[in-house]
Amino acid sequence: MTDPAILYRLTEVIEGRKNADPETSYVAKLLYEGQDKILRKIAEESAEVLLASKEQDKSHVIREVADLWFHCLVLLAHHNVGPDDVLNELRRREGVSGLDEKAARKV
């Protein structure tokens, strides 16, 4: 198994760049431009994942999912949450039917 700690290392890099110069840091620029910019990047990367999947190109799918995950980490940083928050939610859902979990949601 590969090193899942990469998510935490990326999170640390993203946190470290929150206050960096937007002229020299892509992460700082995204965060400076705000949530709408980050959401547009996530929408763009999501579409690229879909297209890569339709092409049946596994390496392209992997690259695009990596881009999507990275931008999702930036969004989490924007909201001052991190991978543990998402992992805890997945842990909470573990063993629960997807249909039951969805029916139990308030929103």
Side-chain angles (χ1 to χ4, degrees), residues 3-93:
D3 180 15
I6 185 66
L7 292 175
Y8 295 100
R9 291 194 301 273
L10 277 172
T11 298
E12 288 175 9
V13 169
I14 290 166
E15 285 296 320
R17 295 190 181 157
K18 274 186 169 181
N19 296 316
D21 182 354
E23 295 295 321
T24 61
S25 166
Y26 177 69
V27 170
K29 182 177 181 179
L30 281 174
L31 292 167
Y32 176 79
E33 291 180 358
Q35 179 173 270
D36 286 348
K37 177 65 174 185
I38 299 166
L39 295 176
R40 282 193 300 275
K41 284 302 297 179
I42 289 174
E44 174 188 321
E45 298 302 341
S46 297
E48 290 174 2
V49 167
L50 299 175
L51 294 172
S53 181
K54 292 292 280 183
E55 293 171 357
Q56 301 290 312
D57 182 341
K58 289 181 184 180
S59 62
H60 191 192
V61 170
I62 291 166
R63 289 190 307 272
E64 295 303 342
V65 169
D67 289 346
L68 177 60
W69 285 13
F70 173 80
H71 287 90
C72 287
L73 288 173
V74 172
L75 180 67
L76 290 176
H78 170 77
H79 287 286
N80 295 310
V81 296
D84 279 337
D85 299 292
V86 177
L87 293 172
N88 287 334
E89 176 60 16
L90 290 172
R91 201 169 291 112
R92 183 189 69 76
R93 295 180 188 186

